[in-house]
Amino acid sequence: MDDHAASPFALSFDSVAAQYAASRPGYPPHLFTTVEELAEQPLRGARTVDVGAGTGIATRLLLDRGARVVAVEPGPAMGAQLRAALPDTPLLRAVGDALPLADGTADLITYAQSWHWTDPARSLPEALRVLRPGGALALWWNVPDPDTAWTVDQEERLKSRLPGYHAHGITADAAEIALGLFPDLRPVYRRLHWTRRVPVDVHLGHLGSRSYFAVLGPEKSAPVLAAERAHLLDLFPEGTVEEAYAVDLTVVRDLRPAR
């Protein structure tokens, strides 16, 4: 596993698992429609492995579209949140670099907000091993929308106060990484946009659930979040924040000959 995947950031979410479940955004319906389009298969009935499933945010949405989902999550506290919310969903405690699944048993493997915690040189071959021929790997991330001025300003403020903030971001580079490892693949990248309106405390809870804040701990993160509260209430005096997101999506279909 590479250095950043093995860092304290990778499992830091366990310390904020309940906060993560309560405040993290979901994903828009048109993301799943686009996944179906690029994967060239419906989600309904698809044998799906949701890796780095966390508290089950994407898992639930995949289930709602009719997918047959097995969740994979290494963090015990994050997994406990998923199990409480989705008790009938199979849950494996594992990582994407070593999936405890048989060859050719999945139609779709998804990574929602999690592929950057793997070593792609291991997790990509593992995904291709577990996928059936013609199956697809879908990688996506919600990121603050770079076309929205206030989110750009917020990201700059956080970057100035949090060392290493988004230093390992690969959201728009996943296709290039996949091609570098397997030049015969044909990854496709899309950027989608969406918004949600939430109380300022939910937005701050979302920020506080990010790995950078979790590693800092409450004492050091509190002043940063307090400063953000002041900025947000200047922008949104009624106390409701209109969050703007871009979803960076890469879909890789396994079109290699049957193995």
Side-chain angles (χ1 to χ4, degrees):
M1 188 175 290
D2 65 7
D3 289 342
H4 81 264
S7 78
F9 290 98
L11 289 175
S12 64
F13 301 108
D14 258 13
S15 66
V16 291
Q19 182 176 335
Y20 192 111
S23 60
R24 281 286 179 124
Y27 303 97
H30 60 284
L31 166 65
F32 298 98
T33 302
T34 305
V35 168
E36 290 178 316
E37 172 197 335
L38 298 180
E40 297 189 12
Q41 60 176 303
L43 284 171
R44 182 162 298 281
R47 297 170 300 169
T48 301
V49 182
D50 187 26
V51 188
T55 63
I57 294 171
T59 310
R60 181 190 295 277
L61 294 170
L62 289 162
L63 289 166
D64 288 346
R65 298 287 291 236
R68 296 158 52 198
V69 185
V70 172
V72 176
E73 169 55 41
M78 295 286 274
Q81 291 284 330
L82 187 151
R83 189 174 295 282
L86 302 169
D88 297 327
T89 299
L91 173 61
L92 303 175
R93 187 174 176 189
V95 296
D97 296 344
L99 293 171
L101 296 163
D103 296 1
T105 52
D107 300 309
L108 178 68
I109 295 177
T110 61
Y111 278 85
Q113 221 76 23
S114 61
W115 197 59
H116 56 295
W117 297 125
T118 74
D119 176 356
R122 296 180 183 180
S123 62
L124 184 54
E126 271 292 86
L128 295 175
R129 177 186 67 78
V130 174
L131 284 172
R132 64 166 174 79
L137 169 66
L139 318 167
W140 69 79
W141 293 264
N142 269 326
V143 298
D145 194 330
D147 297 332
T148 301
W150 81 263
T151 64
V152 173
D153 291 343
Q154 182 181 71
E155 289 295 287
E156 288 301 316
R157 286 193 303 273
L158 295 177
K159 191 183 300 182
S160 71
R161 300 195 64 171
L162 300 172
Y165 185 71
H166 285 324
H168 303 298
I170 62 168
T171 64
D173 301 326
E176 183 178 344
I177 292 168
L179 279 174
L181 292 167
F182 290 91
D184 56 336
L185 296 177
R186 295 293 180 267
V188 180
Y189 169 77
R190 293 282 189 275
R191 170 166 278 180
L192 312 173
H193 298 269
W194 71 289
T195 62
R196 71 167 185 167
R197 292 173 60 82
V198 296
V200 65
D201 285 337
V202 172
H203 178 77
L204 292 169
H206 168 209
L207 292 183
S209 76
R210 292 181 182 176
S211 58
Y212 311 94
F213 286 96
V215 168
L216 278 180
E219 185 176 344
K220 292 182 179 178
S221 62
V224 183
L225 293 172
E228 277 308 303
R229 177 187 291 277
H231 282 291
L232 291 168
L233 290 176
D234 281 341
L235 285 170
F236 304 101
E238 78 288 355
T240 299
V241 178
E242 184 166 11
E243 296 177 334
Y245 293 101
V247 183
D248 284 335
L249 167 67
T250 295
V251 174
V252 184
R253 291 188 65 211
D254 184 7
L255 298 178
R256 299 173 305 162
R259 301 177 292 285

